[in-house]
Amino acid sequence: MDGSGLRFETMDHGGEYPDQMPQAIRLVDAEGRSCVYVPVMQNGRVVDCLGHMEDEDD
């Protein structure tokens, strides 16, 4: 449970901007199970999150 067997693999690079940021990251555990994290997209563009803003009335 300390994450010592975790591996992170970058996948597709590039995207909308001329940088080398990975557009997908695969996480693999010590037993070989994996999942892929990809950015949230809307209308073909990556959504830029500005954080969580709370309503002052709540």
Side-chain angles (χ1 to χ4, degrees), residues 26-50:
R26 176 179 288 134
L27 173 65
V28 183
D29 71 6
E31 296 179 22
R33 299 174 295 197
S34 67
C35 63
V36 177
Y37 291 90
V38 295
V40 175
M41 299 188 82
Q42 185 174 27
N43 297 325
R45 297 184 69 189
V46 174
V47 175
D48 185 12
C49 178
L50 299 177

